[in-house]
Every structure is written in structure tokens, then in C-alpha cells.
Amino acid sequence: MQIQDLPYPDPGVPDARSGSRFLWWLFRNQLGGQLKSLAWGLLHFLSISALPFCVGVAVQAVVDHSGRRLALAGGLLVLCCVGSALGDTFLHRSAVTNWITAAARVQQLLAHKAANLGSALTRRVAAGEVVAVSTGDVEKIGWFVEAWSRFTAAAVTIVVVCAGMVVYQPQLGVLVAVGLPVLALAALPLLPRATRRADFQREKAGRATELASDTVAGLRVLRGIGGEELFLDRYRRASQEVRHAAVRSARMWSLIAATQVLLPGLLLIAVVWYGVHLARQGRVEIGELVAVYSSVMILSYPLRHFEEIAMAYSFSRPSATRAARVLSLERAMSAEGSRDRTGDGLPAGDLYDPATGLLAPSGRLTAVVCGDPDAAGLLAERLGGHPSEEGTSVLLGGVPLDELPLGTARTAVLVQDKDPVLLSGTLRELLDVPASGAVGAEQALAAAQCADVLAALVQGSLGAEDPMDARITERGRSLSGGQRQRLALARSLFTDPEVLVLDEPTSAVDSHTEARIAQGVRDLRAGRTTVVFTSSPLLLDHADRVVLVHEGEVAAVGVHRDLVRKEPRYRAVVTRETDEEAALNGVLNEADVLNELEEIEETA
């Protein structure tokens, strides 16, 4: 896989049982790139390591006054320099390719998992952790994958050079062959402590990232209540904790780096001292001593890759563990479906939830009243075919949604939750979504009562005469909560799915606008199945069918006016009646309820 071929057609199924298994899975899936990087690495390192032998031959040729051997040494030096240059160039190219392609594979896997789980992802994993995994952690995982082939090439080079020195000059070669493995493994006792400090730093950094994300997301509210400085102080403290943890981690890694400088120096001193002693006795020639000395000097370069791979693994292992934890999450229902129904097309018919007994007849507007907002959100997810908990599948036209591929289920049933997200860009881009084509953008915007929103967008966008070219800021933060709700509703109406599920679509809208939205949705969705979770009398009065869900089961079914008169639990939710008021006043008089409804409608 080359960079220009990204993204992957299929990133594969990761082994997410642990961070180490996930790293090994990444390595196996990039075996071709790893072998290519290893080959270029061997050419580079072996060419560099051969330079001291060429220098030794040249020095000895000068001592022996041999022009032929001096010319041979010069030719070998040229070949080694060319090999080193070519190897270094293509090693860097292949290693960076491994890094980027590994990071891209992980990012694709995370994106697919987020699309698969939907809103259930942030219920099971903190949003800050998801951000940390998909940004900084991905980079560290790619670093380890990239560093592994260079480390392998360096290790093979050290073994080859040690064997060559034993053959070339046994007396000095044995000393080097014994000393180099000690140097390579000297940092191992320090790694556990360095790893723990790196893990602690990552934990603190993840907490700071999560806190920053929450602060930025709620900055508008924090300013309104005067809590901006309070949360900024919390982030400053978290940032300082990250700094202190990073300093402690850096101290340990600096100690490891110091050992990689000190110990090769001690080995070099030992080689020189012993070599001079052998040279005085005539047991070692000057060229051989120069070659062995230069080799020890040169080998400090591949030895540094032992430190790098230790650091890469220490930083990438916790990152891989966090990524594996996210990737191991599964939907309550299979994303592939339990049976192949790809040839059946989109199912149509009544929407039925066996767990609660909720029935939404085909082509009708059904309103659902649920006293618990969290329970309403979970039920809305169930109706969309992607619940956060296992249970009996929702049926659409008698077909279980978990028997459909995830994309088909979401095409058939669209769920708009109570906090919809508006991505930055133009309004035209916001409405550039898969749609049936039966509903135009103007119709959807009109039904959602977005006229004032369009005017505000045009006024806030320089040079935008067409409202469709007006820009929306990140998450629509320049708009009010009601304006964001209406734009999100217009997007859902424009999509025109077979079944549309709306969770509190007008909770931030004034009553006058809410009444017009209720009529607009009813008219535009005529003949389509629509389910609205709401407790607003204005929306409930426009519904063909109203269902009260109490304690996870359907408790009453009817129309709004009848349920207000006959069902106390329904009335308590819709009119916000408290238990004390019910006990004091008893059952409300039917005439008073009707009068109250008429007053609300007149006000609207």
C-alpha cells in the first residue's frame, strides 16, 4: 500500500483483544512494507558499518606501501558511500510510508467504529478519549510500526558486524562481540519505570484533552453563568499536571539516553587500551586496530535504534490499548445483519418495538410521550436499529432491523437525536446528504420555519447573497439553540426517509414557531411514517396517534385531547403537574383542561 492509494478499500478486522495484539496485527498487515523497509535499512546500516573496514585496509596499505590495496580500499569506500546514500534515502521513504499507512488504517478503523456505534459510542467511551485516540494515539501507533523495521535492520547489522570482527581480528572482535549486546540491553532495567511514567503522562494528557473539549463545547454557556474563569483554572491545573508528568518522564528517558552515550564510550576506551596493548606486542596490525576502533564508533549509530524502539513501544503500547478498547466495542446488533437481505430492498410498513409494545403505523404521524428523557433517547435509538444495549429487534414491516445491513437500516429509519450536530461549511453542504429527491431543500427549510435562520446566516456571511452559500460555524455555535434545531430538522426532512424518528425536535423553539413547525412537519411528511418524542401539547395535538410509554411499556394509546382527560399519568407529563398538585386538586376538571388547551392554541 502506497500513500497515493489511501484510503484502504477495506482496513480489515483488527485484533482488539489487547494493545500488544493490536500492534502485532498492524505489523502483519503491513508485512510487505516492513520487508521493503528492512531491506533498505540493511543496505544503509551495512554500508556504513563497512566503512571502518575500508579505512583499516587503506591505513594498512599506506603502512605497507601497497598502491593496489589502497586503490581497492578507495573503490570499496565509494561503493559503501553510494550504498549508504541509496539505503538512507529509500529507508526514510519506506519507513514514512509505513508510518502514514499504519496511522491511516487505524483512523479508518476508528471512523468505521464511530459510524457503526453512532451515538452509543460516547455513552460507552468519553468523547475526550475518542479524540485523543484518533489524533495523538494514532501518531504514536504509527511511530512504533515505522520504527520496528529500522530497529530490526540495526539489530541484524550489529550481529553481522560482531561476527565479522571476530573473523577479522579475533582478539579485539571477541571483546566487541561481548560488549555490544551488553550495551544494547543495558537500558532494559530502566524501561518498566520509564513505561509507567509515560503511561501516567498519557493519562494526564487524556484528562486534559477531555477537559479542554468540554470547556470549548460549553464556552457559550460558561460565559453566560460567569463560569469561564473557573473552568479555565481547572484546565490550567490539569495542564500543569501534564507538564510535571512529562518532565518526570523526560528525566527517565534522558537517563536511558545517557547510558547509550556513556557505555559505548567505556567500551571504546576498553577497545583502545586493549588494542594498544596488543599492538605493542605485535599481535595486532595498525590497520586492524583502526578498523576495530572505527567500527565501535560507527556502531553507536545503529545502537541508538534500540533506545528508539524502546521509547516507541513504551509510548505506543498504552495508545494501542486505548485504540483496542474503542475498536473492541460492538453494537448490540450485528452490523452485517444475521441474514443476507441485500436483494430485498428497503422494507416498508409499520414500525413495531416488541420490548415496549410501541407501534407506529405506516404513513402516520405518531407522537410518543415518555416521562424520562433518557429513556426516550434510548427508545429512539432502538427504533433506529442501533441500540446501546442488547434486546429484541425492532420490526419494520415485519422485518427485524438487525437482519438488515447497518447502512440499509439507517437508510430506512433516520433518527434525529435531541442534540443534533451541524458541521461547519455552507448551508448547501449541510444539505448535501443522501435523499429520496421527493422533498426539495426549500420545502424542508420552509416546513422547519427557517426563514429567520436563513436571514441571520446571510447577514453573518460576507458576500453571500444566496442563503445556500451562507456559512455555518463549527457545530453552529453562532446560532441559537432553536435555530440549530430547525436547521437540523430541515436536514432530516430533506432526507425524506421511509421512517423519521425525531427526539424533542422543538425543545428550544418558542410556542408560535413550534405550532407552525408541527403543521409543516405533518403536511410535508404526509404518507410517510413519522415518530416524534415530545411532551409539547402543540405537537401532540397534530399527531394522528399518541402513545404514552411508562416504565418501559406502552401504558396508553389515543389522541391528545382524550388522553389528557382520561389518563392521569399522561396529563402529569404533558401539563407538568406535580404530585403535590395532583393530591391537592384531585383529578382535573375536563372543562378546565380543554380551556387550557384552547388558550395555548390561541397564544400559538
Side-chain angles (χ1 to χ4, degrees), residues 29-88:
N29 278 269
Q30 295 196 218
L31 190 57
Q34 294 290 339
L35 293 176
K36 184 185 297 184
S37 183
L38 174 60
W40 290 117
L42 286 174
L43 176 62
H44 174 57
F45 288 127
L46 290 175
S47 297
I48 289 179
S49 300
L51 289 174
F53 294 96
C54 298
V55 172
V57 172
V59 170
Q60 192 62 41
V62 172
V63 172
D64 296 339
H65 303 287
S66 174
R68 184 177 61 84
R69 281 191 292 164
L70 184 61
L72 176 63
L76 292 175
L77 282 172
V78 171
L79 288 177
C80 289
C81 290
V82 172
S84 175
L86 285 175
D88 189 27

Side-chain angles (χ1 to χ4, degrees), residues 107-120:
Q107 285 182 323
Q108 277 188 253
L109 291 170
L110 292 171
H112 289 178
K113 181 61 64 174
N116 183 17
L117 293 175
S119 59

Side-chain angles (χ1 to χ4, degrees), residues 6 8 40 55 65 85 110 152 198 204 239-240 271 283 285 359 382 440 511 539:
L6 294 173
Y8 287 93
W40 290 117
V55 172
H65 303 287
L110 292 171
T152 305
K204 291 295 183 181
S239 179
Q240 290 302 310
V271 168
R283 298 160 59 185
E285 295 183 347
L359 174 66
R382 282 183 52 78
S511 58
L539 286 175

Side-chain angles (χ1 to χ4, degrees), residues 371-448:
D372 184 357
D374 293 333
L378 293 175
L379 180 54
E381 286 186 356
R382 282 183 52 78
L383 295 180
H386 40 91
S388 56
E389 299 177 356
E390 293 186 1
T392 306
S393 174
V394 171
L395 306 178
L396 177 59
V399 178
L401 288 181
D402 66 348
E403 293 186 0
L404 299 173
L406 182 60
T408 303
R410 288 182 173 173
T411 300
V413 183
L414 174 64
V415 179
Q416 176 183 303
D417 61 28
K418 65 184 65 178
D419 187 23
V421 175
L422 301 181
L423 302 178
S424 60
T426 64
L427 182 58
R428 193 184 310 278
E429 293 170 340
L430 177 70
L431 297 178
D432 185 17
V433 293
S436 68
V439 176
E442 295 78 8
Q443 294 175 283
L445 291 167

Side-chain angles (χ1 to χ4, degrees), residues 533-555:
F533 286 83
T534 183
S535 59
S536 168
L538 294 173
L539 286 175
L540 294 170
D541 201 39
H542 283 81
D544 299 315
R545 173 186 174 92
V546 178
V547 180
L548 171 65
V549 177
H550 181 70
E551 295 183 353
E553 295 181 352
V554 172

